[in-house]
Amino acid sequence: QLQVAESGGDSVQIGGSLRLSCAVSGYSTSTKCIGWFRQAPGKEREGIAAIHTGTGSTYYVDSVKERFTVSQPSNRNTVYLQMTSLRPEDTAMYYCAAESATSCRNGGLMKTIYKYWGQGTQVTVSS
């Protein structure tokens, strides 16, 4: 059983930056695939980035490549999503998800591979 909690959402101006945090807790000694998803009003939840805690491999959807970076500090129970050059279309509720896994299947961007989800943190980008 894992618990997942996101934080760091805020309102920012176009072109601004924001760092989201994902804290994963609970008893598990296995490596994990940790994914970031977002859902805008009226739209499907989409996978945007993922990282495997064992290999450090990262995965991104094209719309955030070169702008967003997913990383893990030495504390492997935390994962960051650094977002730069933010656009109005990045406005959404952002979710973190975790699953014990030896690799991130399908690049970790499919919501069906994750069992554990956080409650979400809101990011709003405006002028």
Side-chain angles (χ1 to χ4, degrees):
Q1 188 86 11
L2 299 175
Q3 292 79 46
V4 181
E6 313 90 340
S7 62
D10 205 346
S11 295
V12 296
Q13 291 189 326
I14 295 170
S17 299
L18 202 59
R19 189 179 78 171
L20 305 183
S21 298
C22 173
V24 180
S25 60
Y27 178 73
S28 174
T29 59
S30 63
T31 56
K32 304 173 187 63
C33 185
I34 297 179
W36 283 99
F37 292 75
R38 66 185 180 186
Q39 187 168 17
K43 293 191 175 182
E44 291 288 320
R45 189 174 298 190
E46 65 165 340
I48 58 172
I51 186 168
H52 190 263
T53 63
T55 64
S57 297
T58 57
Y59 309 87
Y60 299 94
V61 69
D62 286 346
S63 61
V64 306
K65 279 181 183 176
E66 309 300 330
R67 299 191 300 125
F68 291 9
T69 303
V70 60
S71 64
Q72 57 175 358
S74 56
N75 171 8
R76 294 192 173 184
N77 292 324
T78 300
V79 167
Y80 298 126
L81 182 68
Q82 179 69 47
M83 306 186 294
T84 64
S85 301
L86 284 162
R87 306 165 179 169
E89 54 264 39
D90 295 317
T91 294
M93 185 71 78
Y94 283 70
Y95 297 90
C96 182
E99 186 61 52
S100 296
T102 56
S103 66
C104 287
R105 290 183 291 123
N106 301 113
L109 300 182
M110 291 181 63
K111 55 183 183 286
T112 52
I113 71 173
Y114 294 98
K115 186 176 180 179
Y116 304 101
W117 291 82
Q119 295 299 308
T121 187
Q122 178 68 37
V123 173
T124 302
V125 184
S126 59
S127 57

